Amino acid sequence: MLRNKLIAAAVTLVIGIFIVPLFIGSSYSISYGIYGITFTGPAMLVAVLISILIEHYSKIKNIIVMYIKHLLCALTYSLIFSLVMSNSKAMFNDSIYLTVSISSIYITIFVISDYLLKVFYKWRLNNHS
């Protein structure tokens, strides 16, 4: 399970490099995606740990329910991050929009990647047994 989560986190960071710049600035610049890794890389380690806890303690294993739980955790984390990092109300409004948007994108990619890896490994296990 940890291996799948770490692979999903790596895939998320790589895909995020190309998707995040679509939401930042008026023109597309890959530098925004690369710069975003400095913040999202450490956050993905937290996401992996939280994801393991969510899956371990969830009674309902439906992918939609799991996604909603992951999304709520990501939004909570991004809200806390925005509160800690901002030093003025104007900056808070900008940073909350940015962090909520980016965290929603990253957690969506993470959950989809994790789910596809589970399906792939289950398929591979069934076909090679």
Side-chain angles (χ1 to χ4, degrees), residues 49-62:
L49 295 174
I50 297 296
S51 181
I52 290 170
L53 291 173
I54 287 171
E55 288 192 18
H56 181 72
Y57 290 107
S58 288
K59 293 180 181 11
I60 301 172
K61 301 290 185 183
N62 181 307

Side-chain angles (χ1 to χ4, degrees), residues 118-129:
K118 286 179 193 171
V119 169
F120 172 74
Y121 285 122
K122 189 180 285 186
W123 172 81
R124 197 172 103 187
L125 183 67
N126 290 337
N127 284 338
H128 291 164
S129 295

Side-chain angles (χ1 to χ4, degrees), residues 45 55 78 84:
L45 293 176
E55 288 192 18
S78 65
V84 169

Side-chain angles (χ1 to χ4, degrees), residues 12 16 19-20 23 71 100-110:
T12 301
I19 292 177
V20 168
F23 298 91
L71 185 61
V100 165
S101 301
I102 291 173
S103 66
S104 299
I105 294 165
Y106 274 108
I107 207 63
T108 301
I109 296 168
F110 177 77

Side-chain angles (χ1 to χ4, degrees), residues 29-90:
S29 174
I30 198 73
S31 63
Y32 292 132
I34 293 169
Y35 178 71
I37 287 180
T38 60
F39 296 106
T40 54
M44 288 309 291
L45 293 176
V46 173
V48 167
L49 295 174
I50 297 296
S51 181
I52 290 170
L53 291 173
I54 287 171
E55 288 192 18
H56 181 72
Y57 290 107
S58 288
K59 293 180 181 11
I60 301 172
K61 301 290 185 183
N62 181 307
I63 185 65
I64 302 299
V65 173
M66 300 296 269
Y67 170 69
I68 291 170
K69 289 179 180 182
H70 281 79
L71 185 61
L72 288 173
C73 287
L75 294 176
T76 302
Y77 183 83
S78 65
L79 178 64
I80 292 168
F81 179 80
S82 293
L83 287 170
V84 169
M85 296 304 290
S86 68
N87 56 5
S88 71
K89 187 173 183 170

